[in-house]
C-alpha cells in the first residue's frame, strides 16, 4: 500500500528586506574574492549557487567546526586524515609508521613518525594508494631516512597541519579536487629540501593483498618544477596496474635540484626505474628562519601534462588561505544538508563527522578515466558496494539525489566497457566481489525512489548479465557459483562463500525483479522473482543451535547436507563471509514475513533475536548485520528495535579516536550511525524506511530543491528513558505503522514521534512489506516457494 506525499511549506524567509540587501552585498563581495578559485569546484556548481551557499549557509554557520576528522582513526576505523573536497579524486595527507617501524595500511597513525604527505588515499579502508610522497627536510639529506615525529597537530575538513619536530618545519595542507597545496614554514631555516618520493605506496610487499611498485619516471623541468609518473599494481582489490601522473611546482626557486635512483643522489634531471627501486627528486634551498615555501602537486590518471593543466585550472595562484576557504565552501554545502536542534555536543561532533566521512567515497574521476572515453560520469574507489549499498547509497539517494544519479550512471558505464558493474573497484579496476552482485540493489534503490537521468534499460541489461554470464574470476566481478545457483537453486561447497552468497543473490534477484517490473519486462521480472527464495534451498529446518531450529547449512556437490557451519566470522574460502549463521540465516529483506514463519513464528523469531543481541552473536562492526536491529519491526516488537538501537549507539560509537566500531568502509558505518541516531533506517533496494527511535529531539535532512525531511521527537529524554514511540504522524496524518514509504517524503515531509518510557501498541499490527503479503505490489504473480532441499 502506498501513500501520497504531502507538500510542506518551507515557511517565511527569515531575512527582512534590510537583511536581504546586506545579503546581496555579501554575495557580491564573496564572488570578487573567490573568482580566481572557482575552477576548483565541481562543474555543476554555478557561481550563483556558490555565493548563495557561502553566504546563506557557510557565512552564517560553519558546519566544518562540528567535524572531528580524528573520530575513527584508531581500532580499525581507518578514516582519512588530511585534505580533500567532497568526493574528491585527491586526498592529500600524512603517511606514517609507528615508532617501532610498522607502517600504517591506510596512511595515518595516532602515534609514530610522519614519512611525508602522499596524494591518494582511501577512507575507512586500507590497502591501496599512498602515491607521490612529498616531505620537507632540513639539514643533511639522507633519502633512506626521511621521517619525523610531529606535534601541534590539527585536522579539519580541507585542512591538516602539524609540526615536524625533527626538522623544525610547520607543515600545512589544503586541496582542490585534483591538486594538493602544501605550505611549509621552516622555523629555523638553513639547509632545506622539498623531496618527492615516487617509489612510496601504502602496503608494499609480497603478500596476496600487497601493493607492488613497478617503476616510475621523474623529469626536472626547472628549479621550481618536476613531473612524472609512478606505476603500481595490487592492493586489497588485487587490481591491475594503475599509473599516477603528477606535476609539482614550488613558489620558491631551488638553489639546486637532484634526483635519485637507488641509494645515491644525482645531478641528472631525468630519472627512470622499471622495477621496485627507490626513485625521487629533491629541491634544495637555503631558507631563512620562518620562511614559507609553498608547493602545489597536481595529480592525473591521464598524463603529466594533464596534471599540470589541473593545477592551472583549479589553483592557478599561490593563495593558500583562499584555496582553504573555497574548500570549506564545498564542505559546508554538503554538511549543511543535516540540521540538528537540541543535540548534545557529542552527538553534534559524531553526526557531522559521519556526514564528512560519507562524502569522501566513491571518488569523482570524471575527466580522469585512462581506460575509455565517455560522456558519462566516472567514479572509482567503490570500496566496496558490499558495504555501502545498505546505508550510504540510500542516504545519498535521499539527500544528494543528483550525486547518486551520477554514481549509478558511472556503474552502468563501467558495465558498458568492462562487462560487469563492480561490487568493488579501485585503481581503475574491478575487484573484489565479497558477496552478491550488489550494484543490482544500488540500481533498484535509485529506481524505486524515482531518481531520474539514469539509463535504466542498460542498467537492467547489466543486472541480467550478472545472472546469466559466469565470470572468469569470481573474486573480481560477477557471481561465483552461478551455474549451480541457476540450475539447482543453491550453491554447493564446491564454491566459496555459498551461504552468504545465496542470501545476497536472492535479494539481488529481488532488486532485478523490481526494475524489470517497472520497465515492463514481465518475463525478466518473473524469472528473477522465481529466484528470490533460492536461499530456502540452503535452509535446514531441522538444524538446531542453542535451542533454535532452522538455519542455513552447507550442501555438498551431490546435494546432501554437509556438516553445519559454526565459524563465528568466516572469510573468503568459507561458507559465510564476515558473518555467521545467526546473521545470515535471518537475511531476507524481500520476504521477512516468510522468513519469520520459517524460524518458528513471531515469538520464536523475537526470542532468537533476543539471543543474538544478548549473547554476543551480533557484530555491529560489520555490514552483514546492519538491518538486524530493525528486524523486530517485522515481528511486531518495534520497542525491542528501539532498545537495541539505543544500546548500540551508546556502547559502540563515540566522538573519540576509537569512536567507530570497525572499518568505516567508505562511510558505510557512518551512514548507519546517522540513520539510527535520527530514528529511521532504509531497507536498501526498497522504497521503505523503518522506524526505531530517535536519539536527538529535532533533525532535518535536505532532500534537494528546497525540500526537507523534518524529524521531531516529542517527549524526548536525553537520558534515553523515553525511547518508545507511543504515536506518530507523517505530514500531519496519523502514522500507525513502524515504517513508511519514500513516496511519502520525496517532496518533503515532517515525521513527528511522541515518545514514552514504556512500550506501547504503536506499530505492532501492520509489519513492513514482504513478498508473501497478499497485497504485495509486484507486477507479476509471485512464484510459489518450492525449496529444493535434501531428504537426508
Amino acid at each position: 500500500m502506498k501513500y501520497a506525499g504531502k507538500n510542506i511549506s518551507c515557511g517565511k524567509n527569515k531575512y527582512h528586506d534590510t537583511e536581504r540587501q546586506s545579503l546581496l552585498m555579501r554575495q557580491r563581495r564573496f564572488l570578487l574574492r573567490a573568482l580566481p578559485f572557482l575552477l576548483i569546484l565541481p562543474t555543476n556548481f554555478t557561481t550563483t549557487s556558490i555565493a548563495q551557499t557561502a553566504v546563506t549557509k557557510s557565512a552564517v554557520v560553519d558546519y566544518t567546526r562540528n567535524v572531528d576528522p580524528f573520530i575513527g582513526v584508531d581500532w580499525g576505523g581507518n578514516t582519512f586524515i588530511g585534505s580533500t573536497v567532497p568526493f574528491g579524486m585527491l586526498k592529500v595527507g600524512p603517511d606514517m609508521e609507528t615508532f617501532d617501524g610498522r607502517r600504517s595500511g591506510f596512511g595515518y597513525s595516532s602515534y609514530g613518525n610522519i614519512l611525508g604527505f602522499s596524494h591518494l588515499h582511501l577512507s575507512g579502508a586500507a590497502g591501496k594508494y599512498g602515491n607521490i610522497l612529498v616531505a620537507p627536510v632540513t639539514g643533511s639529506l639522507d633519502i633512506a631516512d626521511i621521517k619525523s615525529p610531529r606535534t601541534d597537530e590539527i585536522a579539519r575538513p580541507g585542512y591538516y597541519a602539524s609540526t615536524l619536530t625533527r626538522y623544525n618545519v610547520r607543515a600545512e595542507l589544503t586541496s582542490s579536487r585534483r591538486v594538493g597545496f602544501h605550505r611549509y614554514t621552516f622555523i629555523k631555516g638553513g639547509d632545506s629540501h622539498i623531496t618527492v618520493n615516487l617509489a612510496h605506496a601504502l602496503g608494499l610487499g609480497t603478500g596476496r593483498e600487497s601493493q607492488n611498485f613497478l617503476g616510475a619516471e621523474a623529469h626536472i623541468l626547472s628549479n621550481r618544477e618536476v613531473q612524472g609518473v609512478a606505476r603500481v599494481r595490487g592492493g586489497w582489490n588485487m587490481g591491475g596496474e594503475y599509473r599516477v601522473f603528477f606535476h609539482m611546482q614550488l613558489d620558491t626557486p631551488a638553489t639546486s635540484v637532484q634526483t635519485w635512483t637507488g641509494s645515491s643522489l644525482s645531478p641528472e634531471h631525468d630519472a627512470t626505474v622499471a622495477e621496485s627501486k627507490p626513485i625521487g627528486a629533491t629541491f634544495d634551498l637555503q631558507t631563512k628562519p620562518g620562511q614559507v615555501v609553498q608547493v602545489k602537486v597536481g595529480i592525473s590518471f591521464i598524463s603529466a601534462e594533464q596534471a599540470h593543466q589541473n593545477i592551472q585550472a583549479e589553483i592557478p595562484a599561490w593563495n593558500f588561505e583562499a584555496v582553504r576557504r573555497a574548500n570549506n565552501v564545498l564542505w559546508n554545502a554538503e554538511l549543511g544538508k543535516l540540521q540538528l536542534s537540541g543535540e548534545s555536543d557529542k552527538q553534534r561532533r559524531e553526526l557531522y563527522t559521519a556526514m564528512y566521512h560519507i562524502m569522501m567515497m566513491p571518488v569523482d574521476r570524471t575527466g580522469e578515466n585512462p581506460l575509455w572515453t565517455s560522456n558519462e560520469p566516472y567514479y572509482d574507489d567503490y570500496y566496496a558496494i558490499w558495504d555501502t549499498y545498505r546505508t550510504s547509497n540510500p542516504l545519498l539517494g535521499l539527500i544528494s539525489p543528483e550525486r547518486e544519479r551520477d554514481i549509478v550512471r558511472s556503474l552502468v558505464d563501467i558495465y558498458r566497457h568492462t562487462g560487469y558493474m563492480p561490487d568493488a573497484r579501485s585503481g581503475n579496476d574491478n575487484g573484489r566481489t565479497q558477496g552478491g552482485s550488489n550494484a543490482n540493489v544500488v540500481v533498484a534503490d535509485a529506481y524505486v525512489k524515482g531518481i531520474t537521468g539514469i539509463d535504466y534499460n542498460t542498467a537492467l541489461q547489466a543486472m541480467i548479465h550478472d545472472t546469466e554470464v559466469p565470470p572468469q574470476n569470481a573474486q573480481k566481478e560477477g557471481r561465483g557459483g552461478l551455474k549451480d545457483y541457476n540450475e539447482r537453486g543453491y550453491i554447493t561447497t564446491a564454491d566459496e562463500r555459498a551461504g552468504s552468497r545465496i542470501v545476497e543473490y536472492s535479494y539481488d534477484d529481488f532488486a532485478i525483479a523490481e526494475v524489470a517490473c517497472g520497465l515492463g519486462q514481465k518475463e525478466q521480472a518473473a524469472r528473477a522473482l522465481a529466484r528470490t527464495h533460492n536461499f530456502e534451498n540452503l535452509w535446514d529446518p531441522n538444524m538446531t543451535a542453542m535451542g533454535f531450529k532452522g538455519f542455513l547449512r552447507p550442501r555438498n556437490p551431490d546435494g546432501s547436507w554437509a556438516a553445519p557451519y559454526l565459524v563465528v566470522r568466516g572469510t573468503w574460502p568459507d561458507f559465510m563471509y564476515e558473518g555467521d549463521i545467526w546473521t545470515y540465516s535471518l537475511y531476507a529483506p524481500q520476504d521477512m514475513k516468510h522468513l519469520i514463519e520459517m524460524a518458528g513464528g513471531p515469538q520464536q523469531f523475537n526470542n532468537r533475536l533476543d539471543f543474538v543481541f544478548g549473547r554476543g552473536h551480533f557484530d555491529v562492526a560489520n555490514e552483514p548485520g546492519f538491518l538486524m536491529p530493525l528486524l523486530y519491526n517485522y515481528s511486531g516488537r518495534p520497542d525491542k528495535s528501539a532498545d537495541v538501537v539505543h544500546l548500540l549507539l551508546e556502547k559502540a560509537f563515540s566522538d573519540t579516536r576509537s569512536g567507530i566500531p570497525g572499518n568505516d568502509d567508505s562511510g558505510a558505518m557512518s551512514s548507519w550511525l546517522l540513520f539510527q541516531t535520527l530514528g529511521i533506517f532504509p531497507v536498501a533496494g526498497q522504497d521503505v524506511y523503518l522506524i526505531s527511535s530517535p536519539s536527538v529531539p529535532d533533525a532535518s535532512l535536505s532532500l534537494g530543491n528546497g525540500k526537507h525531511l523534518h524529524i521531531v521527537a516529542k517527549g524526548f529524554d536525553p537520558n534515553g528513558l523515553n525511547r518508545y514511540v507511543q504515536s506518530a504522524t507523517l505530514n500531519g496524518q496519523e502514522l500507525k505503522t513502524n515504517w513508511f514509504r519514500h513516496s511519502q517524503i520525496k517532496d518533503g515531509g515532517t515525521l513527528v514521534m511522541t515518545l514514552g518510557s514504556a512500550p506501547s501498541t504503536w506499530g505492532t499490527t501492520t509489519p513492513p512489506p514482504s513478498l508473501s503479503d497478499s497485497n504485495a505490489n509486484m507486477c507479476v504473480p509471485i512464484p510459489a516457494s518450492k525449496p529444493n532441499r535434501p531428504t537426508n
Side-chain angles (χ1 to χ4, degrees):
M1 183 168 56
K2 293 188 177 181
Y3 300 86
K6 184 177 180 180
N7 291 324
I8 303 298
S9 171
C10 295
K12 186 177 180 180
N13 192 300
K14 63 181 179 180
Y15 294 101
H16 298 294
D17 289 342
T18 56
E19 291 172 312
R20 190 180 301 276
Q21 292 299 319
S22 175
L23 175 65
L24 292 173
M25 291 298 297
R26 288 154 64 196
Q27 284 181 333
R28 295 188 185 101
R29 287 197 298 270
F30 172 81
L31 284 172
L32 289 174
R33 289 195 307 268
L35 192 59
F37 313 102
L38 296 183
L39 286 172
I40 74 169
L41 305 175
T43 55
N44 62 350
F45 225 85
T46 66
T47 54
T48 300
S49 66
I50 294 168
Q52 290 173 342
T53 299
V55 176
T56 62
K57 289 188 176 180
S58 303
V60 177
V61 180
D62 183 4
Y63 298 100
T64 66
R65 293 182 178 274
N66 301 325
V67 175
D68 181 357
F70 291 117
I71 293 176
V73 296
D74 291 343
W75 291 100
N78 294 349
T79 47
F80 169 68
I81 296 294
S83 177
T84 189
V85 301
F87 305 97
M89 184 181 88
L90 177 142
K91 293 182 178 67
V92 56
D95 288 353
M96 302 185 64
E97 67 177 18
T98 61
F99 289 121
D100 56 4
R102 182 171 53 85
R103 294 196 171 188
S104 169
F106 71 100
Y108 186 78
S109 175
S110 285
Y111 63 98
N113 291 309
I114 288 180
L115 305 174
F117 306 96
S118 71
H119 292 77
L120 294 176
H121 293 88
L122 303 170
S123 184
K128 200 77 174 181
Y129 300 133
N131 312 103
I132 316 302
L133 186 78
V134 174
V137 178
T138 57
S140 177
L141 176 61
D142 181 353
I143 59 176
D145 183 31
I146 299 175
K147 59 186 177 183
S148 173
R150 88 286 196 188
T151 188
D152 299 324
E153 187 173 53
I154 298 171
R156 295 173 183 154
Y159 180 74
Y160 173 84
S162 63
T163 298
L164 307 182
T165 56
R166 178 183 177 185
Y167 302 125
N168 286 302
V169 174
R170 182 65 173 171
E172 298 173 274
L173 307 173
T174 190
S175 63
S176 64
R177 178 175 164 240
R178 296 174 295 184
V179 181
F181 200 157
H182 306 236
R183 182 166 67 183
Y184 298 121
T185 303
F186 291 85
I187 297 170
K188 292 187 176 181
D191 289 340
S192 305
H193 317 272
I194 302 294
T195 67
V196 56
N197 181 349
L198 307 187
H200 175 84
L202 298 171
L204 289 173
T206 59
R208 189 166 177 257
E209 297 182 354
S210 298
Q211 290 203 103
N212 311 122
F213 174 65
L214 302 178
E217 297 179 19
H219 303 287
I220 305 296
L221 304 181
S222 71
N223 60 358
R224 295 177 55 246
E225 292 179 287
V226 60
Q227 68 181 28
V229 61
R231 298 167 44 236
V232 185
R233 71 179 174 206
W236 175 86
N237 76 319
M238 300 182 184
E241 177 182 326
Y242 66 94
R243 300 184 179 190
V244 182
F245 296 89
F246 77 99
H247 183 98
M248 176 170 143
Q249 300 176 353
L250 280 66
D251 69 345
T252 304
T255 56
S256 67
V257 185
Q258 303 176 82
T259 61
W260 71 81
T261 55
S263 59
S264 59
L265 290 165
S266 165
E268 295 293 328
H269 281 201
D270 296 290
T272 301
V273 298
E275 58 185 326
S276 182
K277 183 178 180 181
I279 179 173
T282 174
F283 291 81
D284 306 320
L285 309 99
Q286 279 292 319
T287 59
K288 298 177 181 179
Q291 182 174 340
V292 174
V293 177
Q294 298 186 115
V295 180
K296 293 186 287 192
V297 181
I299 295 295
S300 174
F301 289 92
I302 303 296
S303 67
E305 179 55 33
Q306 180 65 52
H308 184 202
Q309 292 174 14
N310 290 344
I311 294 177
Q312 294 176 312
E314 296 182 4
I315 309 182
W318 288 99
N319 191 327
F320 184 93
E321 291 302 325
V323 174
R324 180 182 172 186
R325 287 194 299 269
N327 185 301
N328 267 22
V329 169
L330 293 177
W331 278 114
N332 277 315
E334 298 295 337
L335 297 172
K337 294 175 181 178
L338 171 67
Q339 299 287 327
L340 300 170
S341 178
E343 78 286 359
S344 68
D345 292 342
K346 170 181 175 290
Q347 288 174 321
R348 187 182 314 114
R349 285 191 294 271
E350 284 183 300
L351 295 182
Y352 280 103
T353 303
M355 288 282 285
Y356 173 68
H357 288 156
I358 293 159
M359 304 289 181
M360 281 198 273
M361 290 172 65
V363 297
D364 183 358
R365 290 190 186 163
T366 303
E368 289 286 347
N369 184 349
L371 302 177
W372 63 83
T373 301
S374 172
N375 293 324
E376 290 297 287
Y378 179 61
Y379 282 71
D380 197 59
D381 291 342
Y382 294 99
Y383 216 93
I385 291 175
W386 184 81
D387 303 295
T388 62
Y389 85 88
R390 309 166 200 261
T391 49
S392 296
N393 289 104
L395 180 64
L396 292 178
L398 185 64
I399 66 174
S400 300
E402 292 183 354
R403 177 76 65 177
E404 184 67 4
R405 173 203 65 200
D406 287 352
I407 288 172
V408 175
R409 286 174 60 184
S410 170
L411 291 172
V412 174
D413 203 47
I414 291 170
Y415 155 73
R416 289 189 184 102
H417 294 92
T418 72
Y420 288 93
M421 291 191 295
D423 192 63
R425 181 179 175 87
S426 190
N428 302 309
D429 198 10
N430 288 355
R432 287 187 281 170
T433 297
Q434 295 165 276
S437 50
N438 294 308
N440 300 162
V441 182
V442 175
V443 171
D445 196 80
Y447 184 79
V448 299
K449 291 171 182 174
I451 296 179
T452 59
I454 296 169
D455 181 356
Y456 284 110
N457 286 296
T458 302
L460 180 60
Q461 292 175 18
M463 298 162 88
I464 293 170
H465 184 84
D466 285 332
T467 71
E468 295 180 347
V469 181
Q472 292 184 352
N473 181 350
Q475 282 199 11
K476 180 181 177 67
E477 55 202 359
R479 295 187 180 188
L482 184 60
K483 186 175 186 295
D484 277 347
Y485 179 78
N486 285 343
E487 294 179 2
R488 298 186 180 200
Y490 59 91
I491 306 169
T492 75
T493 54
D495 287 286
E496 59 186 19
R497 292 167 283 132
S500 48
R501 278 171 163 171
I502 193 76
V503 298
E504 292 192 25
Y505 290 0
S506 297
Y507 192 57
D508 296 336
D509 284 332
F510 172 79
I512 294 171
E514 287 184 298
V515 177
C517 170
L519 295 178
Q521 301 290 326
K522 293 188 177 182
E523 291 184 5
Q524 292 289 357
R527 280 195 287 271
L529 271 178
R531 298 187 299 265
T532 59
H533 282 271
N534 275 2
F535 74 93
E536 293 184 49
N537 298 323
L538 289 187
W539 178 278
D540 182 356
N542 299 313
M543 179 179 163
T544 301
M546 306 304 293
F548 298 98
K549 288 185 66 175
F551 291 89
L552 294 175
R553 181 176 174 180
R555 289 178 68 171
N556 295 311
D558 65 4
S560 63
W561 288 123
Y565 177 83
L566 302 177
V567 174
V568 172
R569 181 169 172 168
T571 185
W572 291 96
D574 297 320
F575 180 61
M576 290 177 175
Y577 182 78
E578 297 192 3
D580 60 14
I581 59 171
W582 298 96
T583 297
Y584 278 112
S585 294
L586 299 185
Y587 183 79
Q590 69 274 28
D591 202 348
M592 286 304 303
K593 177 182 178 180
H594 185 57
L595 180 61
I596 290 169
E597 293 169 354
M598 292 166 59
Q603 185 57 55
Q604 189 69 356
F605 183 81
N606 289 333
N607 292 343
R608 183 186 287 206
L609 286 177
D610 291 346
F611 181 86
V612 168
F613 292 113
R615 298 296 184 90
H617 285 287
F618 176 71
D619 183 7
V620 68
N622 217 349
E623 284 77 12
F626 266 16
L627 189 60
M628 286 192 76
L630 279 297
L631 294 186
Y632 288 109
N633 283 33
Y634 291 89
S635 52
R637 291 300 303 269
D639 59 295
K640 287 182 175 286
S641 290
D643 285 336
V644 171
V645 168
H646 272 263
L647 176 65
L648 291 172
L649 293 177
E650 179 181 290
K651 179 181 179 180
F653 293 87
S654 71
D655 61 344
T656 68
R657 289 179 177 237
S658 58
I660 298 175
N663 289 168
D664 193 45
D665 286 324
S666 304
M669 198 69 66
S670 289
S671 47
W672 189 93
L673 167 67
L674 180 63
F675 273 123
Q676 298 288 24
T677 302
L678 299 188
I680 64 173
F681 196 81
V683 183
Q686 300 180 35
D687 64 337
V688 171
Y689 300 87
L690 307 177
I691 297 172
S692 58
S693 175
S695 293
V696 290
D698 193 298
S700 180
L701 292 172
S702 172
L703 309 183
N705 299 319
K707 308 297 184 182
H708 296 82
L709 171 61
H710 189 198
I711 302 172
V712 179
K714 288 186 175 180
F716 176 81
D717 170 21
N719 295 317
L721 294 178
N722 291 358
R723 66 180 62 167
Y724 306 107
V725 179
Q726 309 293 302
S727 62
T729 62
L730 181 57
N731 301 332
Q733 302 296 315
E734 183 180 12
L735 181 67
K736 296 182 179 181
T737 59
N738 59 44
W739 57 277
F740 58 90
R741 291 194 182 274
H742 184 78
S743 59
Q744 296 172 263
I745 62 167
K746 66 180 180 64
D747 295 320
T750 299
L751 174 64
V752 179
M753 289 169 275
T754 300
L755 306 180
S757 60
S760 71
T761 59
W762 175 85
T764 60
T765 57
T766 305
S770 287
L771 263 180
S772 56
D773 290 341
S774 59
N775 62 342
N777 186 22
M778 296 299 291
C779 62
V780 293
I782 300 167
S785 177
K786 296 180 180 179
N788 178 7
R789 301 193 185 107
T791 57
N792 61 322

